[in-house]
Amino acid sequence: MRGKPRRSASLSFNMWEQIRANRIKSVILVVAMGALLLALGYFLGLLFFDSETAGLAIALVGWAFMSLIAYFQGGSILLSVSGARKINKEDHPRLYNIVEEMKIASGLARMPDIYIIDDPALNAFATGRDENHASVAITSGLLQKLNRDELQGVIGHEMSHIKNRDVLLMSLLSVLLGTIVILAYYASRMLFYGGAGSRGGRRGGSQGGGGQIIILVVALVFMILAPIAAQLIYFAVSRKREYLADASSALYTRYPAGLASALEKLATSNTHVSTANKATAPMYISNPLQKKGASIESLTATHPPIAERVRILRAMGGASMVDYERAYEKVKGRTGPVPASALAGAGAVGLRPASAEALQPGLGESEIERARETSDLMWRMNRYHTITCSGCGTKLRLPPSYDEDSVRCPHCGTVNPV
Amino acid sequence: MNVGLWVLIGVIVVLALIMVGMYNSLVGLRNQVKNAWAQIDVQLKRRYDLIPNLVETVRGYMKHERETLEAVTKARNVAAGASSAGVGERSKLEGELSGALARLLVVVERYPDLKANQNFLALQEELTSTENKISFSRQFYNDSVLRYNNKTQMFPSNMMASMFGFKQGEFFEVKLEHEREAPKVSFA
């Protein structure tokens, strides 16, 4: 796309430029995918109904219908499919604070809603069509395993998906992709179980047999190629956005090492989220369908390999977009994902030091404390009542259905009032 | 009417549209700077509110640290009193407050009882986060000022800026060296 890597320009950043460049590219992509869909509809209409308008109409109506659902309901569908539950500040002050910190750093207009997914896997995603309808969701496993700096990096990454309107783009693209795949699928069914052949004769007079065959061939090619092409575009966008979100996270936090360390933890643990599926996968910070291992950047991967993302983040000498671009070039040996317009401007961006707890793991909250905190939160979210035994201090968890006035501690035998 | 006149009208309309666009984007950027400044204010006020609580909680445990506590209270009152001062003056006062707070939180380390106090731990989380939020809102403010200043200085929008009196924004700078470490509540 661009020529040589720019090493001049008194190194700076400009996230707004990047957002604007993104927006233009997004519109082009959606239009291109839309054109693909309409072309498919056109040829299928010719093939099956002898009328290109019928095919176009079916494609358009299907697309519009699904897009409207995705636009207005996409976020809540995704959250409810993932079994995510909303939390307030009182439920987990630290998480809430970190999200608010990143909200401020990114200049987001409204505080996003925070959701927890009860899953030991380490993963997170963001939803919402714009800044005013945004949510971030993270798994309880992530909340337990990551320290403050790491969590900040992950939330910064999610925040930039919202800020860059990636979520909207991805949901519009996935709807288009879905419509193309469904159309092609049903068309191939109809073709193989007889539908097109019998109608061919009527049109034959005006166009000739050759024309009919050409239409058939073109329609066939489209049916096979359209879903593949759509998928490739979709995945390419997805991976590039991941790199850009990493770069923005580094810029927001001024601390790429935090996200790098979080990603390392993600890499060595399971990111497989049981409620995720193919449609929701690109929304997550790390591929939720992948069990473990797998490091080759294949064309159909929704996410770049974690090890590479970590290497780039670790190679950053500052926190700006330019620093990310340079680190990317150093690690991958080719031009990075940051658009040229985002690299113009002035002013270098320094890194901040690690927070105290990250430097000395013994200080601040430890992983054991975080585990306890998270499990308390999960019990509370499942409406379990926790009381501490007055005799021995054991924590007793009472299910929501428990309706007795008192409970006998199984440990020391003390009867505690509920 | 002849073609030349239409072309002339067309050129004038396009130029006017470009100028309107430039003016509007300047106003938008200036408002963003103002808004970002208001965000810093929100966080600074939050810190003023937290400090009396913190001092109250800590006082019972720290009999021998009156000086440190008084320094924090004093810095807080001075900074809160100057809330309508200019950007430069405020940066300095807030820097001093951050420094006093950092010293207090270092001293806290000598009192293990305090670190077991749930109330104190909750306050400490709030304070840590408020310090972060201050530095993040300052960061966003400075980013906004940079963008606004670029627009007022670069051609051709600088002509609009000088015509309608768009002044340069002032960066919120960290004046004191020790304040750089302050945002992290460090117990090292």
Side-chain angles (χ1 to χ4, degrees), chain B residues 26-177:
Chain B
L26 276 168
V27 172
L29 288 174
R30 190 173 58 186
N31 286 342
Q32 193 185 40
V33 168
K34 273 188 198 154
N35 183 40
W37 178 249
Q39 286 302 313
I40 302 184
D41 241 13
V42 169
Q43 300 309 326
L44 290 177
K45 287 218 172 68
R46 185 159 168 63
R47 181 159 76 169
Y48 302 151
D49 295 344
L50 280 171
I51 288 171
N53 277 335
L54 178 78
V55 170
E56 230 17 74
T57 312
V58 166
R59 196 192 297 278
Y61 293 84
M62 305 176 138
K63 301 278 186 255
H64 313 291
E65 312 287 351
R66 266 193 43 211
E67 253 172 61
T68 320
L69 286 176
E70 271 167 15
V72 170
T73 312
K74 192 170 155 254
R76 176 219 174 255
N77 292 340
V78 170
S83 59
S84 53
V87 177
E89 175 69 6
R90 288 201 75 182
S91 327
K92 184 173 155 277
L93 294 175
E94 294 300 338
E96 276 162 18
L97 175 54
S98 291
L101 265 178
R103 280 192 293 279
L104 172 63
L105 288 165
V106 169
V107 170
V108 160
E109 199 49 23
R110 293 187 218 138
Y111 299 85
D113 291 357
L114 192 54
K115 288 179 69 195
N117 180 331
Q118 284 300 318
N119 199 7
F120 173 73
L121 289 178
L123 267 173
Q124 185 186 310
E125 161 60 32
E126 281 311 300
L127 202 64
T128 309
S129 176
T130 305
E131 292 288 353
N132 286 349
K133 284 170 196 164
I134 291 172
S135 63
F136 283 128
S137 48
R138 189 167 58 198
Q139 177 180 309
F140 184 69
Y141 171 80
N142 285 341
D143 288 354
S144 306
V145 169
L146 175 68
R147 198 172 170 229
Y148 171 64
N149 286 356
N150 278 350
K151 196 87 179 176
T152 55
Q153 286 166 12
M154 281 180 192
F155 183 81
S157 49
N158 63 345
M159 296 193 302
M160 289 298 286
S162 61
M163 208 187 299
F164 291 95
F166 285 91
K167 294 199 194 76
Q168 297 276 301
E170 198 177 341
F171 289 101
F172 194 124
E173 259 151 335
V174 183
K175 297 279 179 192
L176 302 172
E177 204 35 56

Side-chain angles (χ1 to χ4, degrees), chain A residues 92-136:
Chain A
H92 203 291
R94 185 159 36 87
L95 176 62
Y96 186 93
N97 279 334
I98 290 172
V99 174
E100 199 179 349
E101 285 164 22
M102 286 298 99
K103 176 230 161 202
I104 293 169
S106 61
L108 216 60
R110 174 187 157 271
M111 177 77 184
D113 292 332
I114 306 169
Y115 286 80
I116 300 279
I117 302 167
D118 189 359
D119 199 310
L122 268 55
N123 228 321
F125 68 80
T127 76
R129 60 180 184 268
D130 58 36
E131 296 188 9
N132 295 316
H133 300 85
S135 315
V136 290

Side-chain angles (χ1 to χ4, degrees), chain A residues 379-392:
Chain A
W379 286 108
R380 207 161 53 237
M381 273 171 55
N382 288 311
R383 284 187 285 119
Y384 270 68
H385 192 62
T386 303
I387 56 172
T388 312
C389 171
S390 57
C392 60

